[in-house]
Amino acid sequence: MPLIKWLENTKYTKQQQKLARERMRKKKKANNGDGKEENDKMIAAINAVKPDIVLVSLTAPKQDIWISENLQYLDTKIAIGIGGAFEVTAG
């Protein structure tokens, strides 16, 4: 399901969708330009191991946006946003 469709089916309003996307763009720029080079390396590393499932551990809606924008480039059919599950489990 595309991110836009998912957001429309949740409590997010159009204004919240716009703010979430803008925050993601600003954060990417602040961290390392547009983040494309780092993202491409990450996708290449993921594809190198040919996973059946990709678990994305970012905060919402970052993980949903990342999955929506990058699933087509991953050699997997399933990507699941799990939020902070790793951090909680690790203690």
Side-chain angles (χ1 to χ4, degrees):
M1 174 182 293
L3 174 67
I4 300 295
K5 195 66 172 167
W6 178 81
L7 289 173
E8 287 174 356
N9 292 331
T10 66
K11 63 183 178 184
Y12 286 94
T13 64
K14 293 203 181 289
Q15 179 66 17
Q16 288 170 317
Q17 291 174 34
K18 184 178 176 183
L19 288 172
R21 285 194 182 91
E22 188 58 33
R23 277 189 230 136
M24 280 287 289
R25 285 188 199 103
K26 285 181 182 178
K27 192 162 194 168
K28 280 183 182 178
K29 281 188 172 184
N31 287 338
N32 60 354
D34 65 357
K36 182 163 176 28
E37 184 177 330
E38 183 178 334
N39 196 54
D40 291 346
K41 287 180 184 178
M42 187 174 6
I43 290 172
I46 293 168
N47 288 339
V49 296
K50 302 186 185 318
D52 293 323
I53 300 172
V54 175
L55 302 177
V56 181
S57 181
L58 300 170
T59 58
K62 292 177 198 172
Q63 64 192 10
D64 307 303
I65 294 169
W66 190 89
I67 291 169
S68 177
E69 291 177 351
N70 294 289
L71 184 59
Q72 62 187 336
Y73 305 114
L74 296 171
D75 292 335
T76 187
K77 301 247 187 281
I78 302 171
I80 302 170
I82 61 168
F86 290 135
E87 289 85 357
V88 172
T89 304

Coordinates of all heavy atoms in Angstrom, one line a residue:
M1 N 0.9 -1.2 0.0 CA 0.0 0.0 0.0 C 0.9 1.2 0.0 O 1.8 1.4 0.8 CB -0.9 0.0 1.2 CG -1.7 1.2 1.4 SD -2.7 1.3 2.9 CE -3.9 0.0 2.6
P2 N 0.7 2.1 -0.9 CA 1.5 3.4 -1.0 C 1.3 4.2 0.3 O 0.3 4.1 1.0 CB 1.0 4.1 -2.2 CG 0.2 3.1 -3.0 CD -0.3 2.1 -2.0
L3 N 2.4 4.9 0.7 CA 2.4 5.7 1.9 C 1.2 6.7 1.9 O 0.5 6.8 2.9 CB 3.7 6.5 2.0 CG 3.7 7.5 3.2 CD1 3.7 6.7 4.5 CD2 4.9 8.3 3.1
I4 N 0.9 7.3 0.8 CA -0.2 8.3 0.8 C -1.5 7.6 1.2 O -2.2 8.1 2.0 CB -0.3 9.0 -0.6 CG1 1.0 9.7 -1.0 CG2 -1.5 9.9 -0.7 CD1 1.4 10.9 -0.1
K5 N -1.7 6.5 0.6 CA -3.0 5.8 0.8 C -3.0 5.3 2.3 O -4.0 5.5 2.9 CB -3.0 4.5 -0.1 CG -4.4 3.9 -0.1 CD -5.4 4.9 -0.8 CE -6.7 4.2 -1.0 NZ -7.7 5.2 -1.3
W6 N -1.9 4.9 2.8 CA -1.9 4.5 4.2 C -2.2 5.6 5.1 O -2.9 5.5 6.1 CB -0.5 3.9 4.6 CG -0.4 3.5 6.0 CD1 -0.9 2.3 6.6 CD2 0.2 4.2 7.1 NE1 -0.6 2.3 7.9 CE2 0.0 3.5 8.2 CE3 0.8 5.5 7.1 CZ2 0.5 3.9 9.5 CZ3 1.3 5.9 8.4 CH2 1.1 5.2 9.5
L7 N -1.5 6.8 4.9 CA -1.8 8.0 5.7 C -3.2 8.4 5.6 O -3.8 8.9 6.6 CB -0.8 9.1 5.3 CG 0.7 8.9 5.7 CD1 1.5 10.0 5.1 CD2 0.8 8.8 7.2
E8 N -3.8 8.3 4.5 CA -5.2 8.7 4.3 C -6.1 7.8 5.1 O -7.2 8.3 5.6 CB -5.6 8.7 2.8 CG -5.0 9.8 2.0 CD -5.3 9.6 0.5 OE1 -5.9 8.6 0.1 OE2 -4.9 10.5 -0.2
N9 N -5.7 6.6 5.4 CA -6.5 5.7 6.1 C -6.3 5.7 7.6 O -6.8 4.9 8.4 CB -6.3 4.2 5.6 CG -6.9 4.0 4.2 OD1 -7.8 4.7 3.8 ND2 -6.3 3.2 3.5
T10 N -5.4 6.6 8.0 CA -5.1 6.8 9.5 C -5.6 8.1 9.9 O -6.3 8.9 9.2 CB -3.6 6.6 9.7 OG1 -2.9 7.7 9.1 CG2 -3.1 5.3 9.2
K11 N -5.2 8.5 11.2 CA -5.6 9.7 11.7 C -4.9 10.9 11.2 O -5.2 12.1 11.5 CB -5.4 9.7 13.3 CG -4.0 9.5 13.7 CD -3.8 9.4 15.1 CE -2.3 9.2 15.5 NZ -2.1 9.0 16.9
Y12 N -3.9 10.7 10.3 CA -3.1 11.8 9.8 C -4.0 12.7 8.8 O -4.7 12.2 8.0 CB -1.9 11.3 9.0 CG -0.8 10.8 9.8 CD1 -0.7 9.4 10.1 CD2 0.2 11.6 10.4 CE1 0.3 8.9 10.9 CE2 1.2 11.1 11.2 CZ 1.2 9.8 11.4 OH 2.2 9.3 12.2
T13 N -3.8 14.0 9.0 CA -4.5 14.9 8.0 C -3.5 15.2 6.9 O -2.3 14.9 7.0 CB -4.9 16.2 8.8 OG1 -3.7 16.8 9.2 CG2 -5.8 15.9 9.9
K14 N -4.0 15.9 5.9 CA -3.1 16.3 4.8 C -2.0 17.2 5.3 O -0.9 17.2 4.9 CB -3.9 16.9 3.7 CG -4.9 16.0 3.0 CD -5.2 16.4 1.6 CE -6.1 15.5 1.0 NZ -5.5 14.2 0.6
Q15 N -2.4 18.1 6.3 CA -1.4 19.0 6.8 C -0.3 18.2 7.6 O 0.9 18.5 7.4 CB -2.0 20.0 7.8 CG -1.0 21.0 8.4 CD -0.4 22.0 7.4 OE1 -0.9 22.1 6.3 NE2 0.7 22.5 7.8
Q16 N -0.6 17.2 8.3 CA 0.3 16.4 9.0 C 1.2 15.6 8.1 O 2.4 15.4 8.3 CB -0.4 15.4 10.0 CG -1.0 16.2 11.2 CD -1.9 15.3 12.0 OE1 -2.7 14.5 11.5 NE2 -1.8 15.4 13.3
Q17 N 0.6 15.1 7.0 CA 1.4 14.4 5.9 C 2.5 15.4 5.4 O 3.6 15.0 5.2 CB 0.5 14.0 4.8 CG -0.5 12.9 5.1 CD -1.4 12.6 4.0 OE1 -1.1 12.7 2.8 NE2 -2.7 12.3 4.3
K18 N 2.1 16.6 5.1 CA 3.0 17.6 4.5 C 4.1 17.9 5.5 O 5.3 17.9 5.1 CB 2.2 18.8 4.1 CG 3.1 19.9 3.4 CD 2.2 21.1 3.1 CE 3.1 22.2 2.4 NZ 2.3 23.4 2.1
L19 N 3.8 18.1 6.7 CA 4.8 18.4 7.8 C 5.7 17.2 8.0 O 6.9 17.4 8.1 CB 4.1 18.7 9.1 CG 3.4 20.1 9.2 CD1 2.6 20.2 10.5 CD2 4.4 21.2 9.1
A20 N 5.2 16.0 7.9 CA 6.1 14.8 8.1 C 7.1 14.7 7.0 O 8.3 14.5 7.2 CB 5.2 13.6 8.2
R21 N 6.7 14.9 5.8 CA 7.6 14.8 4.6 C 8.6 16.0 4.6 O 9.8 15.7 4.4 CB 6.8 14.9 3.3 CG 6.0 13.7 3.0 CD 5.5 13.7 1.5 NE 4.8 12.5 1.3 CZ 3.5 12.3 1.5 NH1 2.8 13.3 1.9 NH2 2.9 11.2 1.3
E22 N 8.2 17.2 5.0 CA 9.1 18.3 5.1 C 10.2 18.0 6.2 O 11.3 18.3 6.0 CB 8.3 19.6 5.4 CG 9.2 20.8 5.3 CD 9.8 21.0 4.0 OE1 9.2 20.7 2.9 OE2 11.0 21.6 3.9
R23 N 9.7 17.5 7.3 CA 10.7 17.2 8.4 C 11.7 16.2 7.9 O 12.9 16.3 8.2 CB 10.0 16.7 9.6 CG 9.5 17.8 10.5 CD 9.0 17.3 11.8 NE 7.6 17.8 12.0 CZ 6.6 17.2 12.4 NH1 6.6 15.9 12.7 NH2 5.4 17.8 12.5
M24 N 11.3 15.2 7.2 CA 12.2 14.1 6.7 C 13.2 14.8 5.7 O 14.4 14.5 5.8 CB 11.4 13.0 5.9 CG 10.8 12.0 6.8 SD 12.0 10.9 7.6 CE 12.4 9.9 6.1
R25 N 12.7 15.6 4.8 CA 13.6 16.3 3.8 C 14.7 17.2 4.6 O 15.8 17.1 4.2 CB 12.8 17.1 2.9 CG 12.1 16.3 1.8 CD 11.5 17.2 0.7 NE 10.5 16.4 0.1 CZ 9.2 16.5 0.3 NH1 8.7 17.4 1.1 NH2 8.3 15.7 -0.4
K26 N 14.2 17.9 5.6 CA 15.1 18.8 6.3 C 16.2 18.0 7.1 O 17.3 18.3 7.1 CB 14.3 19.7 7.3 CG 13.6 20.8 6.6 CD 12.9 21.7 7.6 CE 12.1 22.8 6.9 NZ 11.4 23.6 7.9
K27 N 15.7 16.9 7.7 CA 16.6 16.1 8.4 C 17.7 15.4 7.5 O 18.9 15.3 7.9 CB 15.9 15.0 9.2 CG 16.7 14.3 10.2 CD 15.9 13.6 11.3 CE 16.7 13.3 12.4 NZ 16.0 12.8 13.6
K28 N 17.3 14.9 6.4 CA 18.2 14.4 5.4 C 19.3 15.4 5.0 O 20.4 15.1 5.0 CB 17.5 13.9 4.2 CG 16.8 12.5 4.3 CD 16.2 12.1 3.0 CE 15.4 10.8 3.1 NZ 14.8 10.4 1.8
K29 N 18.8 16.6 4.7 CA 19.8 17.6 4.3 C 20.7 18.0 5.5 O 21.9 18.2 5.2 CB 19.0 18.9 3.9 CG 18.5 18.8 2.5 CD 18.0 20.2 2.1 CE 17.6 20.1 0.6 NZ 17.2 21.4 0.1
A30 N 20.2 18.1 6.7 CA 21.1 18.4 7.8 C 22.1 17.3 8.1 O 23.2 17.6 8.5 CB 20.2 18.6 9.1
N31 N 21.7 16.1 7.9 CA 22.6 15.0 8.2 C 23.8 14.8 7.2 O 24.9 14.7 7.5 CB 21.9 13.7 8.3 CG 21.1 13.6 9.6 OD1 21.4 14.3 10.5 ND2 20.0 12.8 9.6
N32 N 23.4 14.8 5.9 CA 24.5 14.6 4.9 C 23.9 14.9 3.5 O 23.8 14.1 2.6 CB 25.0 13.2 4.9 CG 23.9 12.2 4.7 OD1 22.7 12.5 4.6 ND2 24.3 10.9 4.6
G33 N 23.6 16.2 3.3 CA 23.1 16.6 2.0 C 21.8 16.0 1.8 O 20.9 16.0 2.6
D34 N 21.6 15.3 0.6 CA 20.2 14.8 0.3 C 20.1 13.3 0.8 O 19.1 12.7 0.8 CB 19.9 14.8 -1.1 CG 20.8 14.0 -2.0 OD1 21.8 13.4 -1.5 OD2 20.6 14.0 -3.2
G35 N 21.2 12.7 1.3 CA 21.2 11.4 1.8 C 21.2 10.3 0.8 O 21.1 9.1 1.1
K36 N 21.2 10.7 -0.5 CA 21.0 9.7 -1.6 C 22.2 8.7 -1.6 O 22.0 7.5 -1.8 CB 20.9 10.4 -2.9 CG 20.7 9.4 -4.1 CD 20.1 10.1 -5.3 CE 20.0 9.2 -6.5 NZ 19.8 7.8 -6.2
E37 N 23.4 9.2 -1.5 CA 24.6 8.3 -1.6 C 24.5 7.3 -0.5 O 24.7 6.1 -0.7 CB 25.8 9.1 -1.5 CG 27.1 8.3 -1.7 CD 28.4 9.1 -1.7 OE1 28.3 10.3 -2.1 OE2 29.4 8.6 -1.2
E38 N 24.3 7.7 0.8 CA 24.2 6.8 1.9 C 23.0 5.8 1.7 O 23.2 4.6 2.0 CB 24.0 7.5 3.2 CG 24.0 6.6 4.4 CD 23.9 7.4 5.7 OE1 24.3 8.6 5.7 OE2 23.4 6.8 6.7
N39 N 21.9 6.3 1.2 CA 20.8 5.4 1.0 C 21.1 4.4 -0.1 O 20.7 3.2 0.1 CB 19.6 6.3 0.6 CG 18.2 5.5 0.7 OD1 17.9 5.0 1.8 ND2 17.5 5.5 -0.4
D40 N 21.7 4.8 -1.1 CA 22.1 3.8 -2.2 C 23.0 2.7 -1.7 O 22.9 1.6 -2.1 CB 22.7 4.6 -3.4 CG 21.8 5.4 -4.1 OD1 20.5 5.3 -3.9 OD2 22.2 6.3 -4.9
K41 N 24.0 3.1 -0.8 CA 24.9 2.1 -0.2 C 24.1 1.1 0.7 O 24.4 -0.1 0.7 CB 26.0 2.8 0.6 CG 27.0 3.5 -0.2 CD 28.0 4.2 0.7 CE 29.0 5.0 -0.1 NZ 30.0 5.7 0.8
M42 N 23.2 1.7 1.4 CA 22.4 0.8 2.3 C 21.5 -0.2 1.5 O 21.5 -1.3 1.8 CB 21.4 1.7 3.2 CG 20.7 0.9 4.2 SD 19.7 1.9 5.4 CE 19.8 3.5 4.8
I43 N 20.9 0.3 0.4 CA 20.1 -0.6 -0.4 C 21.0 -1.6 -1.1 O 20.6 -2.8 -1.2 CB 19.4 0.3 -1.5 CG1 18.2 1.0 -0.8 CG2 18.8 -0.6 -2.6 CD1 17.5 2.0 -1.7
A44 N 22.2 -1.3 -1.5 CA 23.1 -2.2 -2.1 C 23.5 -3.3 -1.1 O 23.6 -4.5 -1.4 CB 24.4 -1.5 -2.7
A45 N 23.8 -2.9 0.1 CA 24.1 -3.8 1.2 C 23.0 -4.8 1.5 O 23.2 -6.0 1.7 CB 24.6 -3.1 2.5
I46 N 21.8 -4.2 1.5 CA 20.6 -5.1 1.8 C 20.4 -6.1 0.7 O 20.2 -7.3 0.9 CB 19.3 -4.2 2.0 CG1 19.4 -3.4 3.3 CG2 18.1 -5.1 2.0 CD1 18.3 -2.3 3.4
N47 N 20.5 -5.6 -0.6 CA 20.3 -6.5 -1.7 C 21.4 -7.6 -1.8 O 21.2 -8.6 -2.4 CB 20.2 -5.7 -3.0 CG 18.9 -4.9 -3.1 OD1 17.9 -5.3 -2.5 ND2 18.9 -3.9 -3.9
A48 N 22.6 -7.3 -1.3 CA 23.7 -8.2 -1.4 C 23.4 -9.5 -0.7 O 23.9 -10.6 -1.0 CB 25.0 -7.6 -0.9
V49 N 22.7 -9.4 0.4 CA 22.3 -10.6 1.2 C 21.0 -11.3 0.8 O 20.7 -12.3 1.3 CB 22.4 -10.3 2.7 CG1 23.8 -9.9 3.2 CG2 21.4 -9.3 3.1
K50 N 20.3 -10.7 -0.1 CA 19.1 -11.2 -0.7 C 18.1 -11.6 0.4 O 17.7 -12.8 0.5 CB 19.3 -12.4 -1.6 CG 20.2 -12.0 -2.8 CD 20.4 -13.1 -3.8 CE 21.3 -12.8 -4.9 NZ 21.3 -11.5 -5.5
P51 N 17.6 -10.7 1.2 CA 16.7 -11.1 2.3 C 15.3 -11.4 1.8 O 14.9 -10.9 0.8 CB 16.7 -9.8 3.2 CG 16.9 -8.7 2.2 CD 17.9 -9.3 1.2
D52 N 14.6 -12.3 2.6 CA 13.2 -12.5 2.3 C 12.3 -11.4 2.9 O 11.3 -11.1 2.3 CB 12.8 -13.9 2.9 CG 13.5 -15.0 2.2 OD1 13.7 -15.0 1.0 OD2 13.8 -16.0 2.9
I53 N 12.8 -10.9 4.0 CA 12.0 -9.8 4.7 C 13.0 -8.8 5.2 O 14.1 -9.1 5.7 CB 11.3 -10.4 5.9 CG1 10.3 -11.5 5.5 CG2 10.6 -9.3 6.7 CD1 9.6 -12.2 6.7
V54 N 12.7 -7.5 5.0 CA 13.5 -6.4 5.5 C 12.7 -5.7 6.7 O 11.5 -5.3 6.5 CB 13.8 -5.4 4.4 CG1 14.5 -4.2 5.0 CG2 14.6 -6.0 3.3
L55 N 13.3 -5.7 7.9 CA 12.7 -5.0 9.0 C 13.3 -3.6 9.1 O 14.5 -3.5 9.2 CB 13.0 -5.8 10.3 CG 12.5 -7.2 10.3 CD1 12.9 -7.9 11.6 CD2 11.0 -7.3 10.1
V56 N 12.5 -2.6 9.1 CA 12.9 -1.2 9.1 C 12.6 -0.6 10.5 O 11.5 -0.5 10.9 CB 12.3 -0.3 8.0 CG1 12.8 1.1 8.1 CG2 12.5 -1.0 6.7
S57 N 13.7 -0.3 11.3 CA 13.5 0.2 12.6 C 13.8 1.7 12.7 O 14.9 2.1 13.1 CB 14.4 -0.6 13.6 OG 14.3 -0.1 14.9
L58 N 12.9 2.5 12.3 CA 12.9 4.0 12.4 C 11.6 4.4 13.1 O 10.7 3.6 13.3 CB 13.0 4.6 11.0 CG 14.2 4.3 10.1 CD1 13.9 4.8 8.7 CD2 15.4 4.8 10.7
T59 N 11.6 5.6 13.5 CA 10.3 6.1 14.1 C 9.3 6.4 13.0 O 9.6 6.6 11.8 CB 10.6 7.4 14.9 OG1 11.1 8.4 14.0 CG2 11.5 7.1 16.0
A60 N 8.0 6.3 13.4 CA 6.9 6.7 12.4 C 6.9 8.2 12.3 O 7.1 8.9 13.3 CB 5.6 6.1 13.0
P61 N 6.6 8.7 11.2 CA 6.4 8.0 9.9 C 7.6 7.8 9.0 O 7.5 7.5 7.9 CB 5.4 9.0 9.2 CG 5.9 10.4 9.6 CD 6.3 10.2 11.1
K62 N 8.8 8.1 9.6 CA 10.1 7.9 8.8 C 10.2 6.6 8.2 O 10.5 6.5 7.0 CB 11.3 8.2 9.7 CG 11.4 9.6 10.2 CD 12.6 9.7 11.1 CE 12.6 10.9 11.9 NZ 13.6 10.9 13.0
Q63 N 9.9 5.5 9.0 CA 10.1 4.2 8.4 C 9.1 3.9 7.3 O 9.4 3.3 6.3 CB 9.9 3.1 9.5 CG 8.6 3.1 10.2 CD 8.6 2.2 11.4 OE1 9.6 1.8 11.9 NE2 7.4 2.0 11.9
D64 N 7.9 4.4 7.4 CA 6.8 4.2 6.4 C 7.2 5.0 5.1 O 7.0 4.5 4.0 CB 5.5 4.7 6.9 CG 5.1 4.0 8.3 OD1 5.1 2.8 8.3 OD2 4.9 4.8 9.2
I65 N 7.7 6.2 5.3 CA 8.2 7.0 4.1 C 9.3 6.3 3.4 O 9.4 6.1 2.2 CB 8.5 8.4 4.5 CG1 7.3 9.2 5.0 CG2 9.2 9.2 3.4 CD1 7.6 10.5 5.7
W66 N 10.3 5.8 4.2 CA 11.5 5.1 3.7 C 11.1 3.9 2.9 O 11.5 3.6 1.8 CB 12.5 4.7 4.8 CG 13.8 4.3 4.2 CD1 14.9 5.0 3.8 CD2 14.1 2.9 3.8 NE1 15.8 4.2 3.3 CE2 15.4 3.0 3.3 CE3 13.5 1.7 3.9 CZ2 16.1 1.8 2.8 CZ3 14.1 0.6 3.4 CH2 15.4 0.6 2.9
I67 N 10.2 3.1 3.5 CA 9.7 1.9 2.8 C 9.0 2.2 1.5 O 9.2 1.6 0.5 CB 8.8 1.0 3.7 CG1 9.6 0.4 4.9 CG2 8.1 -0.1 3.0 CD1 8.8 -0.2 6.0
S68 N 8.1 3.2 1.6 CA 7.4 3.6 0.4 C 8.3 4.1 -0.7 O 8.1 3.8 -1.9 CB 6.4 4.7 0.8 OG 5.7 5.2 -0.3
E69 N 9.3 4.8 -0.4 CA 10.2 5.4 -1.4 C 11.2 4.4 -1.9 O 11.8 4.5 -3.0 CB 11.0 6.6 -0.8 CG 10.1 7.8 -0.6 CD 10.8 8.9 0.1 OE1 12.0 8.8 0.5 OE2 10.2 10.0 0.1
N70 N 11.5 3.3 -1.1 CA 12.7 2.4 -1.5 C 12.3 1.0 -1.8 O 13.2 0.2 -2.2 CB 13.7 2.5 -0.4 CG 14.3 3.8 -0.3 OD1 15.1 4.2 -1.2 ND2 14.0 4.6 0.7
L71 N 11.1 0.5 -1.5 CA 10.7 -0.9 -1.7 C 11.0 -1.3 -3.1 O 11.4 -2.4 -3.3 CB 9.3 -1.1 -1.2 CG 8.8 -2.6 -1.3 CD1 9.7 -3.4 -0.4 CD2 7.3 -2.7 -0.9
Q72 N 10.7 -0.5 -4.0 CA 10.9 -0.8 -5.5 C 12.4 -1.1 -5.8 O 12.6 -1.8 -6.8 CB 10.4 0.3 -6.4 CG 11.1 1.6 -6.2 CD 10.5 2.7 -7.0 OE1 9.8 2.5 -7.9 NE2 10.7 3.9 -6.5
Y73 N 13.3 -0.6 -5.0 CA 14.7 -0.9 -5.3 C 15.3 -2.1 -4.5 O 16.4 -2.5 -4.7 CB 15.5 0.4 -4.9 CG 15.0 1.6 -5.6 CD1 14.5 2.7 -4.9 CD2 15.1 1.7 -7.0 CE1 14.0 3.8 -5.5 CE2 14.6 2.9 -7.7 CZ 14.1 3.9 -6.9 OH 13.6 5.0 -7.5
L74 N 14.5 -2.6 -3.6 CA 15.0 -3.7 -2.8 C 14.6 -5.0 -3.4 O 13.5 -5.2 -4.0 CB 14.3 -3.7 -1.4 CG 14.6 -2.5 -0.5 CD1 13.7 -2.4 0.7 CD2 16.1 -2.5 -0.1
D75 N 15.5 -6.0 -3.3 CA 15.3 -7.3 -3.9 C 14.5 -8.2 -2.8 O 15.0 -9.3 -2.4 CB 16.6 -8.0 -4.2 CG 17.3 -7.3 -5.4 OD1 16.6 -6.7 -6.2 OD2 18.5 -7.4 -5.6
T76 N 13.4 -7.7 -2.4 CA 12.5 -8.4 -1.5 C 11.1 -7.9 -1.7 O 10.9 -6.9 -2.3 CB 12.9 -8.1 0.0 OG1 12.2 -8.9 0.9 CG2 12.7 -6.6 0.4
K77 N 10.2 -8.7 -1.3 CA 8.8 -8.3 -1.5 C 8.2 -7.8 -0.2 O 7.1 -7.2 -0.3 CB 8.0 -9.6 -2.0 CG 8.5 -10.2 -3.3 CD 7.5 -10.0 -4.4 CE 8.0 -10.7 -5.6 NZ 8.9 -10.1 -6.4
I78 N 8.8 -8.0 0.9 CA 8.2 -7.6 2.2 C 9.2 -6.7 2.9 O 10.4 -7.1 3.2 CB 7.9 -8.9 3.0 CG1 7.0 -9.8 2.3 CG2 7.4 -8.4 4.4 CD1 6.7 -11.1 3.0
A79 N 8.7 -5.6 3.3 CA 9.4 -4.7 4.2 C 8.5 -4.3 5.3 O 7.3 -3.9 5.0 CB 10.0 -3.5 3.5
I80 N 8.9 -4.4 6.6 CA 8.0 -4.2 7.7 C 8.6 -3.1 8.6 O 9.8 -3.2 9.0 CB 7.8 -5.4 8.5 CG1 7.2 -6.5 7.7 CG2 6.9 -5.1 9.7 CD1 7.1 -7.9 8.3
G81 N 7.9 -2.0 8.9 CA 8.3 -1.0 9.8 C 8.0 -1.5 11.2 O 6.9 -1.8 11.6
I82 N 9.1 -1.6 12.1 CA 8.9 -2.2 13.4 C 9.1 -1.1 14.5 O 9.2 -1.5 15.7 CB 9.7 -3.4 13.6 CG1 11.2 -3.1 13.5 CG2 9.3 -4.5 12.7 CD1 12.1 -4.2 14.0
G83 N 9.3 0.1 14.1 CA 9.5 1.2 15.1 C 10.7 0.9 16.0 O 11.8 0.5 15.5
G84 N 10.6 1.1 17.3 CA 11.7 1.0 18.2 C 11.7 -0.4 18.8 O 12.3 -0.6 19.9
A85 N 11.2 -1.4 18.2 CA 11.2 -2.8 18.7 C 12.6 -3.3 19.1 O 12.7 -3.9 20.2 CB 10.5 -3.7 17.8
F86 N 13.6 -3.0 18.3 CA 15.0 -3.5 18.7 C 15.4 -2.8 20.0 O 16.0 -3.5 20.8 CB 15.9 -3.2 17.6 CG 15.7 -4.1 16.3 CD1 15.8 -3.5 15.1 CD2 15.5 -5.4 16.4 CE1 15.6 -4.3 13.9 CE2 15.3 -6.2 15.3 CZ 15.4 -5.6 14.1
E87 N 15.2 -1.5 20.1 CA 15.7 -0.8 21.3 C 15.0 -1.3 22.5 O 15.6 -1.4 23.6 CB 15.5 0.7 21.1 CG 16.4 1.4 20.1 CD 15.9 1.3 18.7 OE1 14.8 0.7 18.4 OE2 16.5 1.8 17.8
V88 N 13.7 -1.5 22.4 CA 12.9 -1.9 23.6 C 13.4 -3.3 24.0 O 13.5 -3.6 25.2 CB 11.4 -1.9 23.3 CG1 10.6 -2.6 24.4 CG2 10.9 -0.5 23.0
T89 N 13.5 -4.2 23.0 CA 13.9 -5.6 23.3 C 15.3 -5.6 23.9 O 15.6 -6.4 24.8 CB 13.9 -6.4 22.0 OG1 12.6 -6.4 21.5 CG2 14.2 -7.9 22.3
A90 N 16.2 -4.8 23.4 CA 17.6 -4.8 23.9 C 17.7 -4.2 25.3 O 18.7 -4.4 26.0 CB 18.5 -4.0 22.9
G91 N 16.7 -3.4 25.7 CA 16.7 -2.9 27.0 C 17.4 -1.5 27.0 O 17.9 -0.9 27.7

